[in-house]
């Protein structure tokens, strides 16, 4: 049994506050979500009770691809979360993680349509996290970035599928045969780069109730997964290029309000079992330390 992923998603939410402050888009109400020391309370963003102007994940829906791989800007929050477990020719193990998080600082405005030529007229902020681990050498490196939504800086589109933050890109190949992740850290994060091709013959798997993943009374997200995507390519660590192969796991979620009162966040993990099955499970962290009745899992 191989543990393919284990992570906490709070880093993206903490980074969101920094992005809002740096870009001058932080309202007084958003600033009040800061905890002592500048950290962001997870529930203050994903548990925001004022959903005025945003769409809600409140009932099962019909999904359509590739459209739903792309953005859902009517919702407050959204993320593309890709992790991969890889090996080189000598069976040395490597891990890769890429996340792009979209956060709206205000509801979409009706006038922001095709007739609006101002590409800065957007409430969207994007933040990304990139990491690679060389297991045998005990070498873990990571980088993060923030940018306001703008075609030259950061964004997402459905057809042809692409999400990007500066030169970090996850996109559909021109031949339509799979996706590609291309990203490099820059020297400030310890030089590393990733170039992976990803393909999947398996269907998309919907979490929760036909893709409606409930996190509490009246709180939910739309959530689907693509486990065991065939992955191959190159991991670059300083001047060392390593050819790797393995599997990737893509998670997609979007919502306006996910967490309920008393919930602080969640922990997520996935297992790739030796018999070919895949298991996803998450637990919601509560202020009272008790188990939450909305903890969930999926066995594929």
């Amino acid at each position: 049994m191989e543990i393919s992923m284990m992570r906490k998603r709070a880093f993206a939410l903490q980074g969101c506050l920094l992005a809002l402050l740096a870009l001058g888009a932080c309202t007084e109400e958003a600033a009040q979500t800061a905890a002592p020391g500048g950290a962001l309370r997870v529930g203050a963003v994903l548990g925001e009770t004022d959903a005025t102007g945003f769409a809600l994940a409140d009932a099962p829906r019909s999904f359509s691809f590739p459209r739903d791989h792309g953005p859902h800007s009517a919702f407050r929050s959204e993320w593309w979360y890709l992790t991969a477990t890889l090996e080189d020719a000598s069976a040395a193990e490597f891990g890769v993680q890429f996340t792009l998080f979209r956060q709206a600082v205000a509801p979409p405005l009706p006038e922001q349509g095709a007739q609006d030529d101002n590409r800065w007229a957007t409430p969207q902020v994007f933040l990304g996290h990139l990491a690679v681990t060389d297991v045998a050498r005990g070498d873990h490196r990571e980088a993060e970035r923030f940018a306001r939504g703008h075609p030259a800086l950061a964004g997402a589109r459905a057809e042809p599928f692409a999400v990007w933050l500066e030169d970090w890109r996850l996109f559909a190949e021109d031949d339509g045969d799979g996706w590609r992740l291309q990203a490099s850290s820059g020297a400030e994060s310890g030089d590393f780069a990733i170039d992976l091709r990803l393909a999947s013959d398996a269907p998309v798997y919907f979490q929760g109730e036909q893709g409606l993943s409930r996190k509490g009374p009246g709180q939910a997200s739309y959530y689907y997964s693509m486990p065991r995507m065939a992955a191959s390519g190159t991991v670059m660590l300083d001047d060392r290029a390593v050819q790797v192969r393995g599997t990737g796991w893509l998670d997609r979620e979007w919502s306006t309000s996910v967490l309920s009162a008393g919930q602080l966040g969640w922990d997520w993990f996935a297992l790739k079992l030796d018999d070919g099955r895949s298991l996803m499970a998450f637990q919601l962290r509560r202020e009272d330390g008790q188990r939450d009745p909305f903890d969930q899992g999926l066995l594929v």
Side-chain angles (χ1 to χ4, degrees):
M1 180 175 67
E2 177 183 359
I3 299 177
S4 61
M5 289 158 275
M6 181 174 291
R7 72 247 186 174
K8 295 182 180 178
R9 302 187 190 246
F11 78 86
L13 299 171
Q14 293 169 348
C16 183
L17 179 64
L18 298 177
L20 301 182
L21 292 172
L23 296 168
C26 185
T27 65
E28 180 180 357
E29 290 79 12
Q32 290 174 355
T33 67
L40 190 70
R41 294 197 303 270
V42 176
V45 173
L46 293 186
E48 173 61 52
T49 57
D50 184 5
T52 304
F54 289 105
L56 296 176
D58 55 7
R61 67 187 294 274
S62 296
F63 289 78
S64 176
F65 300 101
R67 183 189 68 195
D68 280 321
H69 294 320
H72 302 81
S73 56
F75 294 79
R76 192 197 313 270
S77 302
E78 181 165 23
W79 52 90
W80 295 258
Y81 213 126
L82 174 69
T83 54
T85 52
L86 308 164
E87 292 185 351
D88 68 8
S90 65
E93 296 177 318
F94 296 82
V96 163
Q97 178 257 329
F98 168 76
T99 307
L100 190 69
F101 196 100
R102 177 192 63 77
Q103 181 74 23
V105 298
L109 300 176
E111 62 269 23
Q112 290 176 339
Q115 297 179 353
D116 192 341
D117 294 330
N118 181 4
R119 294 187 174 185
W120 292 108
T122 172
Q124 307 298 337
V125 173
F126 289 82
L127 45 152
H129 191 265
L130 180 69
V132 62
T133 299
D134 181 341
V135 177
R137 299 191 179 195
D139 184 5
H140 175 79
R141 307 184 189 190
E142 59 183 310
E144 59 184 13
R145 294 180 180 178
F146 315 97
R148 185 173 177 179
H150 186 283
L153 297 177
R157 67 168 183 255
E159 297 186 63
F161 167 70
V163 294
W164 67 93
L165 201 170
E166 298 174 351
D167 63 344
W168 295 4
R169 294 180 60 84
L170 177 65
F171 60 96
E173 295 273 43
D174 291 338
D175 58 11
D177 187 19
W179 294 356
R180 191 166 185 176
L181 171 65
Q182 292 182 318
S184 59
S185 66
E188 71 278 3
S189 301
D191 279 337
F192 68 93
I194 298 161
D195 187 351
L196 289 180
R197 285 183 166 87
L198 301 135
S200 177
D201 295 329
V204 170
Y205 295 98
F206 299 105
Q207 305 282 359
E209 182 185 352
Q210 302 174 19
L212 180 70
S213 177
R214 300 186 188 275
K215 308 299 196 297
Q219 310 282 44
S221 66
Y222 291 118
Y223 181 4
Y224 68 83
S225 299
M226 297 173 64
R228 294 185 182 267
M229 302 177 76
S232 63
T234 305
V235 171
M236 179 77 73
L237 295 165
D238 298 323
D239 296 326
R240 183 168 62 102
V242 183
Q243 300 299 310
V244 293
R245 302 184 69 87
T247 56
W249 186 306
L250 178 79
D251 264 359
R252 285 282 289 114
E253 284 193 75
W254 60 94
S255 69
T256 289
S257 184
V258 174
L259 297 177
S260 300
Q263 294 174 338
L264 300 175
W266 64 89
D267 301 311
W268 183 105
F269 74 92
L271 300 176
K272 297 187 299 181
L273 306 179
D274 292 339
D275 62 5
R277 293 182 297 169
S278 302
L279 172 67
M280 184 285 301
F282 67 79
Q283 66 172 4
L284 293 155
R285 295 197 302 277
R286 296 170 55 97
E287 288 181 346
D288 60 13
Q290 301 298 309
R291 285 290 304 275
D292 195 281
F294 286 88
D295 291 348
Q296 295 177 33
L298 176 69
L299 181 65
V300 175

